[in-house]
Amino acid sequence: MDSQECDIPDFAMVSPTEMLVCDSGESKVNLVNSTVGGVVASVSVPGWPMRICLLSGMAAVSLTGKKVQFIRVGRGSLTLDRVLEVDKAVYGISTLDSFLVTSSTDPPGMTIMSVDGKLMYTVDNQKEGRKIFKQPAFLTSSTDGYIYVSDWDTDTLTKLDNKLNVLKTFTDPSLQNIKGIISISRDQLLVCSQNNHRIVLLNTRTGNMTVLLGEQDGLKEPYALTYCHIQRNLFVAPSASTTHIQVYKLV
């Protein structure tokens, strides 16, 4: 991936041959050739990039300093667009029906907002009257309109609807210190279980969990992941501080 020291907290597929990679070590977002490796284009961002999600022709990146940076993604090019200032630190970020879904860890909670920053829905421990979150981190949304958030402090995954009503919580001994999650079909999530070095397939309809990858596959402390449906390649960053991304073929 990179001969220099870099931090890769998140990445996302742009096409079957290109991915956007956050580099917190150098405060950059890189467009990387996912087939042969190598940086195709790069932009510097005003803060540490934390998480990334894709919009139409655009990427949204959560930054330290209560900011979301929009980046225009062209063929082999990246261009900085506007910066959205928000009222709390954004940790996780995803999209649902052209809206932004965000999570924060201090205080723990989630929001749905327009791309212009207009707040639509919010959920937090105070609103619910109970501690539903401790460290809500990675986010993903499914094609049928549900949102999932991982909480590494409680070893849980929470399912919410498109108004942030909490619907269900998943937990299992195979999930320890949950980090990256990604929806790969209507009822299936891939989950990074960092402490026991596993990628787990979760059926969100039945609650069944299957370990797909582990230490025997060279996996160590999986932190973030993305998936290419066309090539059936799974990309895994083995920890938040790394210089490479591992590639697995799912069959």
Side-chain angles (χ1 to χ4, degrees), residues 1 28 59 103 147 166 171 179:
M1 176 63 192
K28 290 182 177 180
S103 68
I147 301 163
V166 176
T171 186
K179 294 296 172 62

Side-chain angles (χ1 to χ4, degrees), residues 55-79:
L55 301 157
S56 178
M58 190 91 69
V61 183
S62 60
L63 304 177
T64 53
K66 301 181 181 180
K67 299 174 182 177
V68 175
Q69 173 73 62
F70 292 93
I71 300 173
R72 294 193 177 275
V73 183
R75 183 172 296 178
S77 67
L78 299 176
T79 306

Side-chain angles (χ1 to χ4, degrees), residues 60-116:
V61 183
S62 60
L63 304 177
T64 53
K66 301 181 181 180
K67 299 174 182 177
V68 175
Q69 173 73 62
F70 292 93
I71 300 173
R72 294 193 177 275
V73 183
R75 183 172 296 178
S77 67
L78 299 176
T79 306
L80 289 179
D81 199 86
R82 62 191 175 90
V83 175
L84 176 65
E85 303 276 352
V86 292
D87 62 358
K88 62 177 65 175
V90 175
Y91 196 89
I93 192 166
S94 186
T95 56
L96 182 70
D97 298 330
S98 76
F99 292 100
L100 292 178
V101 185
T102 67
S103 68
S104 59
T105 58
D106 187 19
M110 291 177 59
T111 64
I112 295 179
M113 69 179 77
S114 70
V115 293
D116 295 323

Side-chain angles (χ1 to χ4, degrees), residues 160-194:
L160 306 97
D161 67 13
N162 60 3
K163 295 182 180 179
L164 294 182
N165 295 304
V166 176
L167 301 177
K168 192 172 184 179
T169 298
F170 301 94
T171 186
D172 190 86
S174 64
L175 300 179
Q176 296 178 15
N177 195 10
I178 305 171
K179 294 296 172 62
I181 56 176
I182 188 168
S183 173
I184 61 170
S185 68
R186 180 171 178 170
D187 297 318
Q188 292 184 315
L189 298 185
L190 292 179
V191 183
C192 287
S193 180
Q194 191 176 48

Side-chain angles (χ1 to χ4, degrees), residues 190-227:
L190 292 179
V191 183
C192 287
S193 180
Q194 191 176 48
N195 280 12
N196 52 8
H197 317 289
R198 293 173 175 175
I199 301 293
V200 175
L201 176 66
L202 166 63
N203 185 307
T204 59
R205 180 175 53 84
T206 65
N208 291 338
M209 301 189 194
T210 305
V211 177
L212 293 187
L213 297 167
E215 283 189 276
Q216 70 276 9
D217 304 295
L219 197 65
K220 185 173 177 61
E221 297 183 355
Y223 186 86
L225 76 171
T226 193
Y227 179 64

